[in-house]
């Protein structure tokens, strides 16, 4: 792994940790800010909205800036935001600060993935995307448990001070390691052109695949703890270990997806989507049995992130000539998909279906994804279309 990619990974790890660690210290934050735990939950949904809405807008507003300067600015905003969160006097200020950091988060991942694929050869793009994505998975495996433990020992404000220190480390790493040639396009694409590239079938079909993937993942993952407790019958103390194994599987899956993206992207993607449909059906079948369920959950976690890498690589490849809006829609699409998945899962539960039915929702979504991916692949082959060239750098 090259040093510039390591710098981008550190920042991705920091952003990923601050997004998810709030769940681990939510009761302490609620008590400290004088609100109920359900009210404190808006710190999670507010962050997701900041990514989904603010990220693309910020990416468009800053498209003429040097990519390195923009990434450094986003890391500095992250660092200041963490310090401000640690000092937040009340819930309203904490919520607004979280949303501001989330806007930087959404813009960062869009820009970082464009920069990452520009740092490597064309046949290494999948692995470059995988490195950025691994920042999110590793944040769940290491960052969130560590941040939660810090909050339990020294209080939730200490968690944000540590995140501030991590932001300083990420900023210094990018300042030192990112090349100065990571610049803006010589002729920044206008808004009309940015929007037009979204009309390419490879782009909008990939966004559909992203939504289906999120339904397949978060329709179940949102309710994974009660599923493991009530359906599988696991002891409460074992649930964190299952989630840890799921995170390890996800981390391995990211790099598997990167390798497959650089080998044969669409055939690999279609195969993995089909395998994920089968895996979710297996989860439905074995959910009452602890050991098979745990094995299936680990495989499912690996496939979730293995699939995500080629989807994002494909979007970046087909929007290389006007990537600002499209790349920023990647984290937005994921967060919209997460919200949609959680809502569909809640609707199923409220309509009387039990937790065991949730994998079937995901399996159906994966079958839809297989059909969309096959149609897109055939369409692409018949048109003999090729991805655009990257816009020249200054």
């Amino acid at each position: 792994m090259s040093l510039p990619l390591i710098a981008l990974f550190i920042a991705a790890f920091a952003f990923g940790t601050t997004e998810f660690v709030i769940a681990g210290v939510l009761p302490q934050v609620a008590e400290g800010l004088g609100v109920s735990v359900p009210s404190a939950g808006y710190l999670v949904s507010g962050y997701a909205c900041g990514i989904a809405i603010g990220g693309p807008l910020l990416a468009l507003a800053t498209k003429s800036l040097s990519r390195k300067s923009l990434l450094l600015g986003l890391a500095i905003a992250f660092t200041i935001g963490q310090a401000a969160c640690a000092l937040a006097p009340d819930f309203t200020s904490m919520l607004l600060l979280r949303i501001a950091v989330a806007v930087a988060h959404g813009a960062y991942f869009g820009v970082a993935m464009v920069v990452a694929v520009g740092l490597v050869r064309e046949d290494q793009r999948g692995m470059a995307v995988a490195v950025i994505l691994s920042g999110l998975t590793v944040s769940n495996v290491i960052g969130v448990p560590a941040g939660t433990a810090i909050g339990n020992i020294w209080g939730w404000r200490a968690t944000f001070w540590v995140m501030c220190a991590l932001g300083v480390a990420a900023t210094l790493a990018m300042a030192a390691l990112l090349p100065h040639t990571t610049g803006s396009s010589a002729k920044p694409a206008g808004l009309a052109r940015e929007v037009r590239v979204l009309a390419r079938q490879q782009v909008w079909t990939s966004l559909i695949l992203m939504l289906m993937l999120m339904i397949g993942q978060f329709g179940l993952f949102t309710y994974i703890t009660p599923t493991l407790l009530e359906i599988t019958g696991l002891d409460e103390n074992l649930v964190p270990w299952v989630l840890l194994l799921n995170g390890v599987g996800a981390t391995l899956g990211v790099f598997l997806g990167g390798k497959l993206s650089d080998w044969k992207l669409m055939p690999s993607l279609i195969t993995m989507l089909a395998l994920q449909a089968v895996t979710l059906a297996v989860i439905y079948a074995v959910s009452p049995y602890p050991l098979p369920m745990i094995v299936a959950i680990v495989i499912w976690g690996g496939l979730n992130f293995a699939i995500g890498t080629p989807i994002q690589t494909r979007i970046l490849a087909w929007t290389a000539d006007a990537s600002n809006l499209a790349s920023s829609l990647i984290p937005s699409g994921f967060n919209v998909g997460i919200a949609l998945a959680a809502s569909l899962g809640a609707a199923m539960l409220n309509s009387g279906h039990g937790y065991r039915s949730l994998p079937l929702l995901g399996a159906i979504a994966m079958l839809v994804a297989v059909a969309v991916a096959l149609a897109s692949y055939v369409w692409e082959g018949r048109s003999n279309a090729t991805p655009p060239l990257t816009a020249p750098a200054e």
Side-chain angles (χ1 to χ4, degrees), residues 194-213:
E194 294 277 359
V195 172
R196 278 199 302 271
V197 302
L198 301 180
R200 292 171 184 159
Q201 68 90 359
Q202 293 87 353
V203 179
W204 59 261
T205 54
S206 294
L207 291 172
I208 293 173
L209 296 180
M210 186 183 294
L211 289 176
M212 293 301 104
L213 175 63

Side-chain angles (χ1 to χ4, degrees), residues 339-359:
L340 177 62
S343 299
L344 288 174
M348 288 186 65
L349 295 174
N350 290 333
S351 66
H353 298 282
Y355 292 115
R356 191 179 180 185
S357 66
L358 297 176

Side-chain angles (χ1 to χ4, degrees), residues 157-169:
R157 294 185 188 273
T159 298
F160 285 96
W161 282 119
V162 172
M163 293 305 305
C164 177
L166 186 56
V168 171

Side-chain angles (χ1 to χ4, degrees), residues 29 31 54 67 100 102 179 243 286 319:
V29 172
E31 182 180 356
R67 300 296 89 180
L243 298 181
V286 305
T319 60

Side-chain angles (χ1 to χ4, degrees), residues 205 208-209 211-213 215 273-274 277 361-375:
T205 54
I208 293 173
L209 296 180
L211 289 176
M212 293 301 104
L213 175 63
I215 292 173
L273 289 169
L361 170 66
I364 293 170
M366 290 298 97
L367 292 176
V368 172
V370 170
V372 171
L374 276 171

Side-chain angles (χ1 to χ4, degrees), residues 26-387:
L26 198 63
Q28 297 98 310
V29 172
E31 182 180 356
L33 298 178
V35 297
S36 66
V37 172
S39 295
Y42 286 112
L43 296 174
V44 177
S45 55
Y47 198 98
C49 290
I51 293 175
I53 300 171
L57 294 176
L58 181 59
L60 284 177
T62 57
K63 64 184 179 181
S64 62
L65 295 179
S66 156
R67 300 296 89 180
K68 179 174 181 178
S69 297
L70 178 55
L71 289 172
L72 288 174
L74 294 172
I76 291 170
F78 169 88
T79 304
I80 295 173
Q82 302 313 299
C85 285
L87 297 169
D90 53 48
F91 176 75
T92 301
S93 60
M94 182 69 164
L95 177 60
L96 293 175
L97 287 167
R98 287 277 295 172
I99 292 173
V101 171
V103 172
H105 177 134
Y108 174 81
F109 276 91
V111 175
M113 283 189 284
V114 172
V115 170
V117 298
L119 291 169
V120 299
R121 301 191 311 268
E122 185 175 346
D123 62 346
Q124 297 176 322
R125 285 177 174 176
M127 283 304 296
V129 172
V131 169
I132 306 301
L133 279 181
S134 68
L136 291 176
T137 60
V138 174
S139 72
N140 278 284
V141 176
I142 299 175
V144 173
T148 302
I150 290 168
N152 290 337
I153 297 171
W154 291 296
W156 65 270
R157 294 185 188 273
T159 298
F160 285 96
W161 282 119
V162 172
M163 293 305 305
C164 177
L166 186 56
V168 171
T171 303
L172 294 176
M174 288 195 292
L177 299 177
L178 287 183
H180 292 290
T181 52
T182 302
S184 62
S185 299
K187 294 182 179 179
L191 178 60
R193 185 178 173 192
E194 294 277 359
V195 172
R196 278 199 302 271
V197 302
L198 301 180
R200 292 171 184 159
Q201 68 90 359
Q202 293 87 353
V203 179
W204 59 261
T205 54
S206 294
L207 291 172
I208 293 173
L209 296 180
M210 186 183 294
L211 289 176
M212 293 301 104
L213 175 63
M214 290 298 94
I215 292 173
Q217 180 176 357
F218 281 90
L220 172 60
F221 192 79
T222 303
Y223 307 98
I224 189 63
T225 296
T227 299
L228 291 173
L229 293 175
E230 297 184 22
I231 306 301
T232 311
L234 285 185
D235 184 271
E236 187 175 12
N237 294 324
L238 292 177
V239 172
W241 293 102
V242 176
L243 298 181
L244 175 62
L245 289 174
N246 179 268
V248 172
T251 303
L252 296 175
V254 162
F255 291 102
L256 173 63
K259 284 287 188 183
L260 294 175
S261 298
D262 292 331
W263 178 53
K264 291 186 177 181
L265 193 151
M266 285 305 292
S268 299
L269 177 56
I270 293 167
T271 301
M272 288 190 292
L273 289 169
L275 287 174
Q276 189 67 314
V278 173
T279 301
L280 284 160
V282 169
I283 289 175
Y284 169 78
V286 305
S287 55
Y289 311 103
L291 185 57
M293 180 63 164
I294 292 171
V295 173
I297 289 291
V298 174
I299 295 171
W300 169 67
L303 281 171
N304 280 326
F305 282 84
I307 293 168
T309 303
I311 291 176
Q312 293 175 83
T313 302
R314 191 177 194 226
I315 293 173
L316 294 171
W318 283 94
T319 60
D321 55 336
S323 60
N324 291 290
L325 178 59
S327 63
S328 64
L329 285 176
I330 292 175
S332 293
F334 276 121
N335 280 273
V336 170
I338 290 170
L340 177 62
S343 299
L344 288 174
M348 288 186 65
L349 295 174
N350 290 333
S351 66
H353 298 282
Y355 292 115
R356 191 179 180 185
S357 66
L358 297 176
L360 295 180
L361 170 66
I364 293 170
M366 290 298 97
L367 292 176
V368 172
V370 170
V372 171
L374 276 171
S376 176
Y377 187 41
V378 171
W379 187 355
E380 181 181 322
R382 289 180 176 175
S383 66
N384 292 317
T386 56

